[in-house]
Amino acid sequence: MIVKKQLSTLKAYSPGKTIDEVKRQYGLTKIVKLASNENPFGSSPKVGEALAELPGKLALYPDGAAYALRQKTAGHLGVQPEQLLFGSGLDEVIQMVSRALLEKGTNVVMAKPTFSQYRHHAIIENAELREVPLKDGVHDLEAMLAQVDENTRIAWICNPNNPTGTYVSKEEVQSFAARVPKTTLVIVDEAYFEYASAPDYASALELLPDYENLMVMRTFSKAYGIAALRMGYAVAHADLIGQLEVARLPFNTSAAAQVAALAALEDQQFLQNCVAANQEGLQQYYDFCEKHGLKYYPSQGNFIFMEVGKPGDEVFQQLLQKGYIVRSGGGLGLPEGIRITVGSKEENEEIIAVLEQVVQETKETAL
Ligand SMILES: *Cc1c(COP(=O)(O)O)cnc(C)c1O
């Protein structure tokens, strides 16, 4: 067989160890997984109720156009239904857009490190990568702009950025979108939009009417808590979305994901409660970092990146042995630290207790 040669330079996505694997390996009974920025509070009870009605309808294909969810989401965002492109998780939307826009001879500009899938699909589509290091953990939009040329098909802005949790303001996004060529699509990935609370953070959605070369992405996997079902979407000008629809598989989002996302969207109270709890959780980590003078990035997401004084891989191992699964910065391009998803108050306390030990040991070995 002959597979595209660029595939040989990539690895299949590794989601890390499963809860069952860790239990077996370390003989533990309780595992806390705070590695993938899932919602520690689950999802709205309304989601379960909506899914309970599915069993009678499983023989039929889902609505490929996701009509009901499309109407609901459009109303929620204040955009036209034709401006939305749904995918089986935002991951699939990233793949679809990459497939539709990229090919040999084109290039993509993105931050480094940022969400891994932009890079992954650019390589598969044979586009040239132009990765621009974060500046103090934040997208360096001026340096990114300098990398954009007439062959740049996509400029990615992950806002808030995964894995740092940092953000750029709406004015910065606007100034960037205004200065790139009209042939460059600026994609603002707002997977963590619901959690962002900085006074000068705003969604790029407000800029859409003025910029035809702008796209905003969102997901139901994070704050809405239905990662298992896979549902994400892009918002852009209807003309562009219409062109991209051609690259969408006929029944790409399942009936379960569609009804669950609709129900999740209807329960804004659940969402607000999760966002408030996340704020308090972040504060627990900030307090811990401040107390020990550890480096961290104030986060606009439901995760925090911090440096505990030892390589991220080692801290990851220490937490793993005690039953806490987090992400080492090693695999994320920031080997000095770890990324922890903010959990419930108790889970955060437990992890912080282990981290206290790590900090203590580090101090002792330094003596
Ligand atoms: C989690 C995440 C996604 C993908 O979300 P899914 O909808 O679960 O595929 C996309 N972008 C960023 C920045 C993410 O953190």
Side-chain angles (χ1 to χ4, degrees):
M1 287 333 118
I2 301 175
V3 174
K4 283 181 176 178
K5 73 172 181 307
Q6 58 271 30
L7 264 64
S8 67
T9 68
L10 294 168
K11 285 203 199 82
Y13 183 77
S14 148
K17 290 192 187 336
T18 66
I19 290 179
D20 284 335
E21 275 170 347
V22 177
K23 277 187 183 167
R24 277 197 301 274
Q25 190 172 356
Y26 298 102
L28 298 163
T29 48
K30 184 190 131 183
I31 303 292
V32 174
K33 181 170 178 279
L34 293 170
S36 303
N37 304 341
E38 292 138 327
N39 187 334
F41 307 106
S43 49
S44 161
K46 296 204 163 58
V47 168
E49 288 163 25
L51 289 172
E53 311 202 341
L54 271 181
K57 307 176 187 167
L58 294 179
L60 301 182
Y61 278 108
D63 172 11
Y67 181 82
L69 177 62
R70 182 178 295 276
Q71 298 296 322
K72 184 85 204 170
T73 309
H76 179 72
L77 301 175
V79 301
Q80 295 305 312
E82 303 74 38
Q83 289 185 261
L84 299 171
L85 175 69
F86 290 97
S88 179
L90 183 48
D91 281 345
E92 196 206 11
V93 184
I94 294 170
Q95 181 198 40
M96 255 189 277
V97 175
S98 301
R99 183 176 184 193
L101 271 66
L102 306 179
E103 61 188 319
K104 194 171 165 59
T106 67
N107 69 69
V108 279
V109 173
M110 67 187 75
K112 185 181 180 142
T114 189
F115 188 59
S116 62
Q117 295 301 299
Y118 318 145
R119 179 180 191 279
H120 192 84
H121 291 292
I123 293 175
I124 293 178
E125 301 306 334
N126 230 332
E128 179 199 337
L129 281 181
R130 298 188 178 174
E131 299 177 280
V132 178
L134 298 174
K135 195 168 147 194
D136 303 321
V138 183
H139 275 62
D140 186 348
L141 292 181
E142 291 305 317
M144 285 174 66
L145 190 65
Q147 292 296 317
V148 172
D149 64 22
E150 70 278 8
N151 295 320
T152 305
R153 291 286 179 272
I154 303 175
W156 290 97
I157 302 177
C158 188
N159 200 29
N161 189 43
N162 180 3
T164 49
T166 52
Y167 74 104
V168 286
S169 70
K170 190 179 85 177
E171 286 66 33
E172 290 171 289
V173 173
Q174 177 164 26
S175 144
F176 185 83
R179 288 183 290 161
V180 300
K182 294 230 178 323
T183 45
T184 299
L185 181 64
V186 177
I187 306 184
V188 187
D189 180 343
E190 298 183 352
Y192 300 96
F193 161 78
E194 295 82 4
Y195 289 111
S197 65
D200 61 341
Y201 175 89
S203 171
L205 215 51
E206 299 169 28
L207 301 171
L208 278 185
D210 298 327
Y211 296 93
E212 288 192 12
N213 60 332
L214 192 63
M215 173 178 275
V216 174
M217 290 183 167
R218 301 267 180 94
T219 177
F220 285 94
S221 296
K222 307 289 162 56
Y224 285 104
I226 55 169
L229 293 169
R230 317 303 298 127
M231 181 61 79
Y233 60 91
V235 199
H237 270 249
D239 281 354
L240 174 61
I241 295 293
Q243 288 175 281
L244 294 173
E245 278 284 341
V246 176
R248 186 176 63 73
L249 294 180
F251 305 106
N252 63 324
T253 62
S254 73
Q258 291 179 24
V259 297
L262 201 152
L265 208 50
E266 280 176 340
D267 195 348
Q268 289 297 312
Q269 188 57 53
F270 174 82
L271 186 85
Q272 288 319 314
N273 296 344
C274 295
V275 168
N278 182 64
Q279 286 298 329
E280 291 171 16
L282 279 172
Q283 194 59 50
Q284 290 175 268
Y285 289 100
Y286 295 162
D287 291 347
F288 165 74
C289 290
E290 298 288 346
K291 176 175 155 198
H292 296 288
L294 304 177
K295 182 175 167 189
Y296 70 96
Y297 294 115
S299 174
Q300 298 299 312
N302 65 338
F303 56 89
I304 180 161
F305 188 89
M306 63 170 81
E307 295 179 11
V308 194
K310 273 190 188 186
D313 284 354
E314 286 178 34
V315 182
F316 165 82
Q317 267 304 329
Q318 264 182 287
L319 283 164
L320 189 65
Q321 283 163 16
K322 299 222 156 73
Y324 300 96
I325 314 179
V326 302
R327 276 302 279 276
S328 165
L332 301 170
L334 293 169
E336 313 78 35
I338 49 170
R339 191 194 68 193
I340 306 174
T341 302
V342 175
S344 67
K345 182 164 184 277
E346 296 70 32
E347 289 168 338
N348 300 332
E349 280 168 358
E350 291 168 27
I351 290 210
I352 288 171
V354 181
L355 292 174
E356 288 279 0
Q357 291 175 13
V358 174
V359 170
Q360 210 50 48
E361 288 165 25
T362 320
K363 277 193 191 141
E364 280 159 19
T365 43
L367 289 176

